[in-house]
Amino acid sequence: MKLQMIGCSHHQANVEFRERLSFTGDQAQLALDAFRDRFPKTEAVLLSTCNRVEFYTATDDDSGVEQAQFVDFLAGQRGLTQDQLMEHLICRNGNEAIEHLFTVAASLDSMVVGEPQILAQVKQAYELACTQGSAGPLTHSIFQTASRVAKRVASETAIHKKRVSIPSVAVGEIAVEFFERMDDKRIVLIGAGEMGRETLQYLRDKGARDVRLINRHRQRADEAAAELGARSADWEEMHSLLADADLVVSTTAATEPIMDVQRFGAIHQARYGRMLLILDLAVPRDFDPKIGEFSGVYLYSVDDLQAACHRNQREREKEWPKAKRIIEDETREFVTALHHRATGPVIKRLREQTEQVKQDELARLIGRLESAGASDEIRREVTQSFDRLVNKMLHPPMASLKDDVASGGNHGLLDALRKLFQLNDE
């Protein structure tokens, strides 16, 4: 068998190069079709995200795609030169490729360790390969196992339980302390940039239904709202929206506060003392800090949330060794199972061939013993002796092969057995 991963991630390539190398969903379909046409005996799964582009390939023999062939294929797909690709691509083979996929699926290789999106992206890549017919027995096995390993890391460690991004801490730790449920809360999200979009996704994940998104440029608010299931509103509606809100999250890139004490004073009067949680995620701050002094108003800034992020990051780092041990154990077990799968037919053929030789010789000898008038006890003793002899003769090569498999050997002993005993695959 030959397993390999060829690609790059945020570890090797900057965002500009990753953007040139990345595949949309439609492009990935076409790429898998082209790969299958060019390399019909090789299984393939293409994982393309904002932070990585990785091709996983597999064959049940040693005839897999060579790195030079793959670079030529990928260069043609993305309109890049081979030199441009070779500068950034890495290749992992065999055990390393398997361990790498398990590590990626478990979010241990992500830019933000523990982020939950990558497992879903790995599953989507595998499902696309299945749909396009480029997956096969080996990739079925490795990607299904990767999903199970990722779930084991999530359940047996606290890596996924400790939030480390500002929006995830704001929504997942601060907001939930104030509100038992989100589906009945009126929420105002200010700003439709990257942080605003991430925050909106977390709010939706928590069950938020009534989210109004405002942005200085209404079109960006409309686009983000349509994409993530919110409703947009005009910037000029901020006063009335804040007067009715239970939760406000602000994420603009403004250089000056968008809300001062005087303006908020009028909003506060219109609220009639109702509690308001404000999560100011902007740098510089969108809300004047003095607004937090109003009764019933709880104002959190980035500095308040950053401390929680650092604390959670340290907690995740403590879990890293445990997660890595799970990955290493699962990789070792998976590789051993793959090697057993490869050695099984050879061992079976060797036993069958040896058993046939034994039976032929035993039948000839038993016939002569019967002609000589040997007793049934002697014939049984002779049969048992032949059985013991065959078992003793087979034990050393079988034990050596088992040890070679357990140590991740390169099938040298397996090939030697085929040649020594002239075993033909059936």
Side-chain angles (χ1 to χ4, degrees), residues 378-390:
I378 292 177
R379 291 199 295 271
R380 282 195 300 271
E381 181 63 31
V382 169
T383 300
Q384 291 172 2
S385 295
F386 268 66
D387 290 338
R388 287 194 297 269
L389 177 63
V390 169

Side-chain angles (χ1 to χ4, degrees), residues 343-358 390-391 393-401 413-414 416-426:
T343 60
V346 174
I347 292 174
K348 179 183 178 183
R349 186 74 185 95
L350 177 59
R351 291 190 178 279
E352 289 175 347
Q353 180 172 298
T354 306
E355 180 67 20
Q356 186 61 51
V357 172
K358 183 195 76 172
V390 169
N391 289 335
M393 291 292 291
L394 288 179
H395 178 72
M398 294 299 98
S400 297
L401 183 59
L413 284 181
L414 189 64
L417 280 175
R418 286 194 179 104
K419 293 177 181 178
L420 286 172
F421 290 92
Q422 298 181 351
L423 301 174
N424 298 318
D425 293 333
E426 295 183 337

Side-chain angles (χ1 to χ4, degrees), residues 86-137:
M86 290 301 295
E87 183 179 353
H88 297 96
L89 292 183
I90 61 170
C91 182
R92 302 184 188 276
N93 296 295
N95 300 16
E96 290 185 355
I98 295 168
E99 183 172 354
H100 178 75
L101 176 60
F102 291 176
T103 303
V104 168
S107 189
L108 301 186
D109 194 61
S110 298
M111 187 174 290
V112 179
V113 173
E115 56 89 6
Q117 289 84 5
I118 185 62
L119 178 57
Q121 292 167 335
V122 169
K123 289 181 177 179
Q124 289 170 2
Y126 167 61
E127 289 169 358
L128 178 61
C130 292
T131 300
Q132 299 305 116
S134 65

Side-chain angles (χ1 to χ4, degrees), residues 6 38 65-73 82 86:
I6 300 177
R38 183 167 175 179
V65 181
E66 298 299 328
Q67 185 172 353
Q69 293 176 300
F70 182 82
V71 171
D72 179 66
F73 168 79
Q82 294 189 28
M86 290 301 295

Side-chain angles (χ1 to χ4, degrees), residues 28-68:
Q29 291 182 28
L30 295 174
L32 289 174
D33 289 343
F35 187 91
R36 186 181 55 190
D37 291 341
R38 183 167 175 179
F39 309 105
K41 295 183 179 180
T42 303
E43 303 173 23
V45 177
L46 170 57
L47 173 62
S48 181
T49 74
C50 58
N51 286 327
R52 68 182 67 247
V53 176
E54 295 176 346
F55 252 98
Y56 292 84
T57 65
T59 56
D60 58 6
D61 53 30
D62 292 330
S63 64
V65 181
E66 298 299 328
Q67 185 172 353

